[in-house]
Amino acid sequence: MRTAHTVVQVRAAEAALMATVPDGTLMDRAATGLATACVDFLGGAYGVDVLIVAGSGANGGDALYAGARLARRGARVAAILLNPAKAHAGGLAALRSAGGHVVPEDEREDAVARADLVLDGIVGIGGKPGLRPEAVRVMELVQRYDVPVVAVDVPSGIDVDTGETPEPHVRAAVTVTFGTHKVGLLVDPGASAAGVVHLVDIGLGPYLPDPVVESLQASDVAALLPVPDRTSHKYTRGVLGVVAGSDQYTGAAVLAVSGALGGPLGMVRYVGPDEPARLVRARWPEVVAGEGRVQAWVVGSGLGEAPERAEDVARALAGDVPVLVDADGLRHVLGRCEGEVLLTPHEGELARMLEVERTDVTARRLHYAREAADRWNATVLLKGATTVVAPPSGPVRVNSVGTPWVATAGSGDVLSGICGALLAGGLSPLDAGSMGCFLHETAGVLASRGGPIVAEDIAAALPDAYRFVREAGDAESA
Ligand SMILES: NC(=O)C1=CN([C@@H]2O[C@H](COP(=O)(O)OP(=O)(O)OC[C@H]3O[C@@H](n4cnc5c(N)ncnc54)[C@H](OP(=O)(O)O)[C@@H]3O)[C@@H](O)[C@H]2O)[C@@H](O)CC1
Ligand SMILES: [K+]
């Protein structure tokens, strides 16, 4: 499990740990890990040009100490000091004594043009969102010369606790973060600005409280996946009722059912109009049409706007089994929910539910997912490149695996099916949503292998994703 903490939590843990170790130990651990990550990224240190962009805090200090280590391994290291009078004194002295130098103001462009790598030590967890004009000017040069950036702790300028990027910020190829992940490294748009995130253990673990954000890894999903045993039969494995599709949107029915059948359940019941029911059964003879006892419901995709479908949604929500509500069904979730409910809007649907602009939701994904979870007393899965799954209370889960190729028509219907199957298998809305998303994205990766796919391909690859996750889980825990 990847876990992320807030700046306040990190500061408290850092203070507790610092009281037990000699001065400078943590920065030394951070700089060592940072220098190693740079060497890995560059494939070596000897003869490469590394340019540090250092602000006035300890973040710049980390970069300068790492620069000293790289210089000792044969790199040519130079530093742009954004505020020379307040540059980290120890780090600067270390860099100089290892042979590094400070770039004069009129030579900055040449230094950027020459660099193989830029170390972003402008600001870390002590910073406010945004970059000051001088930092913007330097980072514009970095962008113009297309120099890859390794961000120190966080890409400077993002809102560390939310992942929001209301102001100019750094875009990194790699972010080397210390002690624990920061929320903004896991939640978009900050997560996209961070690139590949590498965590350096500096000993903070025992002092950290429960995280505010978590991200499941294959071994976590594998540990939670229901697997049948010799005593299992179709009813103990779970029956899912699917209320999806209409005469107008028949495909939604077929795709939601195909997603469900790729999950760990015993049977699917399809409830809907004759035409989608006929198509579902032609495609999947194992599906039973019509009402009956179920362990969970998926309602919503492709229902259209017919008023009688509102009753289907209301009936499912009034029942005593978990319910996933997707797409059109979300219009009919009126008051606070009771029981176990998973709502799966995309940004446009969530914006409509909360009566805000879609661009607001895109900019503040964590904020609005949490707000909706609180307002409807339900777990809210906000779809997107990094899906956010917010329960009414407790840590939010985000998904960091996947491929942009899954952004294709009907993909959300398949997602509702697999998440519903997991609900029917007895998992909580939080686990079902976050694991369903992981399996769906993994299926997308396996089906796509870098090329275009359609929603049916994702559904067809779900059993492979299941096997892949179990094998990866075994390997991770071995
Ligand atoms: N936590 C840990 O366990 C460990 C933490 N470590 C490291 O320490 C880092 C935190 O260091 P920190 O506290 O010195 O703050 P940091 O982010 O460097 O700078 C804050 C200063 O920058 C300024 N400033 C503010 N906003 C700005 C902006 N938008 N743009 C530009 N400048 C801005 C403002 O100063 P001002 O210029 O206003 O005087 C403010 O005071 C952390 O991220 C990690 O790298 C590791 O060494 C080891 C263990
Ligand atoms: K930084």
Side-chain angles (χ1 to χ4, degrees):
M1 181 95 80
R2 282 191 188 169
T3 55
H5 294 81
T6 64
V7 171
V8 167
Q9 290 176 322
V10 171
R11 294 271 194 218
E14 181 193 7
L17 171 60
M18 274 206 301
T20 70
V21 293
D23 269 3
T25 305
L26 299 194
M27 202 174 244
D28 189 55
R29 291 176 185 168
T32 305
L34 177 58
T36 305
C38 291
V39 172
D40 288 348
F41 181 77
L42 291 162
Y46 190 79
V48 299
D49 273 282
V50 175
L51 178 63
I52 295 164
V53 185
S56 58
N59 194 250
D62 290 341
L64 293 165
Y65 278 117
R69 283 172 168 72
L70 292 169
R72 270 192 242 106
R73 294 187 59 170
R76 285 184 294 270
V77 185
I80 291 178
L81 304 179
L82 295 173
N83 188 344
K86 286 168 90 183
H88 194 277
L92 189 54
L95 178 69
R96 283 195 161 122
S97 71
H101 73 279
V102 173
V103 180
E105 256 199 81
D106 58 349
E107 291 176 22
R108 285 181 176 180
E109 180 160 355
D110 288 345
V112 172
R114 224 183 4 252
D116 298 302
L117 178 75
V118 162
L119 262 183
D120 156 29
I122 301 170
V123 73
I125 60 172
K128 296 187 190 63
L131 296 174
R132 293 179 182 159
E134 209 184 352
V136 170
R137 277 195 291 279
V138 174
M139 293 318 291
E140 276 172 358
L141 287 175
V142 171
Q143 216 166 13
R144 191 182 322 150
Y145 286 96
D146 202 17
V147 189
V149 175
V150 171
V152 182
D153 212 11
V154 295
S156 300
I158 69 163
D159 187 322
V160 180
D161 276 347
T162 64
E164 294 168 20
T165 55
E167 305 273 344
H169 60 88
V170 168
R171 302 195 74 83
V174 174
T175 294
V176 182
T177 200
F178 310 122
T180 178
H181 289 86
K182 315 301 176 299
V183 175
L185 302 178
L186 299 185
V187 178
D188 267 325
S192 296
V196 176
V197 179
H198 178 78
L199 176 67
V200 173
D201 182 3
I202 57 168
L204 227 49
Y207 303 94
L208 286 166
D210 289 343
V212 292
V213 169
E214 309 173 328
S215 173
L216 297 180
Q217 307 301 295
S219 56
D220 307 309
V221 179
L224 291 165
L225 277 178
V227 180
D229 62 26
R230 291 165 63 91
T231 64
S232 303
H233 55 76
K234 65 185 178 199
Y235 295 118
T236 57
R237 293 187 61 200
V239 179
L240 177 69
V242 175
V243 180
S246 52
D247 289 336
Q248 194 182 357
Y249 302 110
T250 48
V254 175
L255 289 169
V257 169
S258 68
L261 291 172
L265 42 58
M267 192 171 100
V268 173
R269 292 186 190 278
Y270 176 74
V271 181
D274 291 347
E275 181 58 6
R278 190 183 66 72
L279 289 169
V280 164
R281 293 218 298 163
R283 177 84 176 79
W284 307 108
E286 55 274 54
V287 172
V288 174
E291 303 249 2
R293 181 146 178 76
V294 298
Q295 275 71 54
W297 287 107
V298 163
V299 296
S301 21
L303 290 187
E305 292 179 17
E308 63 272 19
R309 307 313 295 272
E311 287 163 27
D312 292 336
V313 179
R315 208 168 40 249
L317 285 171
D320 56 3
V321 299
V323 186
L324 180 154
V325 188
D326 187 35
D328 298 332
L330 294 165
R331 295 175 191 277
H332 308 304
V333 183
L334 302 176
R336 281 173 70 75
C337 300
E338 282 172 24
E340 297 201 299
V341 177
L342 175 61
L343 309 177
T344 60
H346 57 55
E347 287 177 353
E349 286 158 349
L350 189 63
R352 187 176 37 68
M353 291 167 73
L354 291 167
E355 298 178 74
V356 297
E357 295 298 320
R358 183 180 186 139
T359 47
D360 293 339
V361 176
T362 306
R364 307 187 68 196
R365 293 174 55 77
L366 186 60
H367 171 82
Y368 285 114
R370 278 180 170 146
E371 184 174 319
D374 185 51
R375 173 146 9 149
W376 278 279
N377 189 37
T379 298
V380 174
L381 182 158
L382 174 58
K383 296 173 203 170
T386 54
T387 294
V388 171
V389 188
S393 64
V396 170
R397 296 247 175 99
V398 298
N399 175 61
S400 319
V401 302
T403 167
W405 291 110
V406 304
T408 180
S411 174
D413 302 334
V414 174
L415 177 66
S416 72
I418 177 70
C419 292
L422 292 161
L423 277 181
L427 291 157
S428 70
L430 178 65
D431 285 340
S434 49
M435 292 164 64
C437 182
F438 193 102
L439 289 167
H440 180 260
E441 289 284 348
T442 302
V445 172
L446 294 174
S448 154
R449 287 178 289 120
I453 46 173
V454 295
E456 281 222 314
D457 299 331
I458 303 172
L462 280 169
D464 275 345
Y466 213 90
R467 280 186 279 275
F468 175 88
V469 163
R470 293 191 67 201
E471 283 164 16
D474 287 347
E476 271 177 35
S477 51

